[in-house]
Amino acid sequence: MSYDCDVLVIGGGIVGLSTAYALTRARPGIRVLVLEKEAGPARHQTGRNSGVIHSGIYYRPGSLKARFAVEGAAEMVKFCAEHGIPHAVGGKLIVATERAELPRLHALAQRGRENGIPVRELGPSQITEFEPEVRGLAGLHVATTGICGFGAVAAQLAALVRDAGAEIRYGAEVTRVDRRTGRGVAVRTAAGAVLRGRALVNCAGLHCDRIALLAGDEPGMRIVPFRGEYYDLARPELVRGLVYPVPDPAFPFLGVHLTRGIDGGVHVGPNAVPALAREGYDWSVVRPRELAATLAWPGAWRIAREHWRYGAGELHRSLSKPAFTRAVRRLLPSVSADDLRPAPAGVRAQAVLRDGTLADDFLFLEAPHTVHVLNAPSPAATASLPIGREVARRVLGQLG
């Protein structure tokens, strides 16, 4: 059997490109082919987030997220510096605005220390030293949090991958996968091209479960897309850096926060509402087949039953700008609805298990000639370099 490459990588976001980068570094001369359905890299989760290099404070000690975020944050700063990608490490504030949040804030400080992250606890007056317009009962300052443009990082990874001899094909949507044990994997694209590899890596993000099923693997989860809606702050001088609320422990979403980006503008958001399509970046985008697949998954209904109050609040903030403004004013009392200007939304590819559990860690599945990346939302961009090495290690182990 003739092969077009050693490893086919589906997905040209930051995780797929980092995987290709890790493969070419670990085994020089390996033939890697990246297939991306869009016309360029980083068109979805990678290019539509707030650009935060996360410290790793939120994640369960010992988890892949905790380990890879801490490692990845330091590596991402180094990568940006080496390749001239604009970035900054100014730290962030996590602020409690209600007494009920104080125990969770303290627990978060303990978690950060367990993960090896320097954390400074603050009182109200110390909060205003960092952010004069922000009000809170107590806070944490996390010095290792930074910002960058992950789209620029992905573009640099793509250039390095090409320089190492790998190929990236854009406009190449995979519609069929044929895997034969002992022989390898063949894929067909929407344009009719058939490409063969000794192994396949699935980094398809919002479509990773669909690719797994095409390969004949039951992933045990489904992607339930959650849209995160943002505003830009018309008075960016109100915010110096990054300001977050205390997160709800029941959800992996971090709540409406304030992010001064690398361009000097301030993003406000996101909320988290169910999207009506995998790439449903506003309410007008509805894809009935994708929506039906989501509704057919038992876990989606279990989430709805268990967390309907939380969901109703998020939906209200999506449909009502005054409600969204009130959420922002908990942190930034001087903001008004007129200060918030609509900005592009993103969609989080959240893996949901059959029992309704939201997968809270990075999730990989190995099968013959195949490695699937099944849950890699935030902080995957921060952790992309360690994730890429982990996926490369697994697929190279299969190749021998």
Side-chain angles (χ1 to χ4, degrees):
M1 182 175 178
S2 63
Y3 298 100
D4 298 285
C5 62
D6 295 309
V7 182
L8 288 162
V9 178
I10 300 177
I14 199 167
V15 172
L17 292 169
S18 178
T19 297
Y21 176 65
L23 285 167
T24 60
R25 286 170 64 88
R27 189 170 292 184
I30 191 171
R31 296 179 301 160
V32 178
L33 174 56
V34 180
L35 302 175
E36 166 55 48
K37 72 182 182 67
E38 303 296 350
R43 298 296 173 89
H44 295 290
Q45 291 184 106
T46 302
R48 288 175 170 266
N49 59 46
S50 54
V52 175
I53 302 173
H54 289 287
S55 64
I57 190 172
Y58 299 110
Y59 314 116
R60 177 173 48 82
S63 66
L64 290 175
K65 277 190 177 181
R67 180 158 59 91
F68 287 173
V70 173
E71 293 176 12
E75 290 184 40
M76 186 58 62
V77 171
K78 182 180 178 182
F79 184 90
C80 289
E82 288 178 350
H83 297 285
I85 298 171
H87 66 287
V89 181
K92 76 173 177 184
L93 291 181
I94 304 172
V95 178
T97 58
E98 299 177 359
R99 295 192 65 82
E101 295 174 334
L102 295 176
R104 283 158 42 197
L105 187 73
H106 179 69
L108 198 58
Q110 294 297 109
R111 172 169 285 193
R113 293 183 180 111
E114 287 182 57
N115 287 338
I117 299 162
V119 178
R120 178 185 172 194
E121 298 187 64
L122 308 176
S125 62
Q126 294 167 306
I127 290 172
T128 57
E129 289 177 13
F130 284 98
E131 293 283 354
E133 299 292 333
V134 171
R135 297 293 179 268
L137 300 177
L140 303 178
H141 184 254
V142 187
T144 53
T145 303
I147 54 171
C148 71
F150 287 117
V153 173
Q156 181 63 48
L157 285 169
L160 293 170
V161 164
R162 284 200 183 97
D163 289 346
E167 181 183 355
I168 303 173
R169 293 192 189 182
Y170 297 113
E173 180 179 2
V174 172
T175 58
R176 183 175 175 182
V177 179
D178 181 16
R179 183 178 62 206
R180 300 186 183 185
T181 301
R183 299 184 67 186
V185 183
V187 302
R188 183 185 295 275
T189 70
V194 176
L195 302 161
R196 296 174 176 85
R198 295 172 61 207
L200 173 74
V201 173
N202 169 15
C203 296
L206 287 160
H207 302 276
C208 64
D209 55 340
R210 181 178 65 82
I211 296 297
L213 291 167
L214 286 177
D217 298 320
E218 171 50 63
M221 45 65 71
R222 293 295 185 272
I223 292 297
V224 175
F226 285 88
R227 184 170 62 254
E229 296 162 330
Y230 290 91
Y231 287 89
D232 285 331
L233 190 62
R235 292 190 289 159
E237 66 274 10
L238 294 177
V239 178
R240 291 179 175 177
L242 312 178
V243 185
Y244 282 67
V246 180
D248 185 330
F251 279 85
F253 313 110
L254 299 177
V256 173
H257 48 270
L258 312 166
T259 306
R260 177 172 284 277
I262 201 67
D263 61 355
V266 174
H267 288 304
V268 183
N271 56 5
V273 295
L276 304 181
R278 303 243 177 162
E279 297 166 17
Y281 294 112
D282 60 56
W283 287 112
S284 68
V285 180
V286 182
R287 293 182 179 165
R289 181 176 294 182
E290 294 180 2
L291 180 58
T294 297
L295 296 176
W297 184 241
W301 290 100
R302 292 188 174 113
I303 290 174
R305 285 196 299 269
E306 186 172 350
H307 299 296
W308 67 269
R309 285 187 177 86
Y310 182 96
E314 293 291 285
L315 183 62
H316 182 46
R317 284 185 284 276
S318 172
L319 300 175
S320 168
K321 189 176 181 181
F324 192 99
T325 305
R326 286 194 293 274
V328 180
R329 292 189 66 182
R330 290 181 58 197
L331 292 171
L332 192 66
S334 58
V335 79
S336 70
D338 291 339
D339 292 323
L340 302 179
R341 299 172 178 171
V347 176
R348 177 189 178 99
Q350 177 61 52
V352 177
L353 308 185
R354 180 174 287 275
D355 65 0
T357 302
L358 300 176
D360 68 349
D361 205 356
F362 298 137
L363 182 61
F364 307 102
L365 174 67
E366 291 190 55
H369 307 291
T370 310
V371 178
H372 301 287
V373 181
L374 297 177
N375 192 55
S378 180
T382 297
S384 54
L385 294 172
I387 291 173
R389 285 198 303 275
E390 174 65 18
V391 177
R393 181 188 67 80
R394 291 175 183 237
V395 75
L396 289 174
Q398 293 192 10
L399 291 177

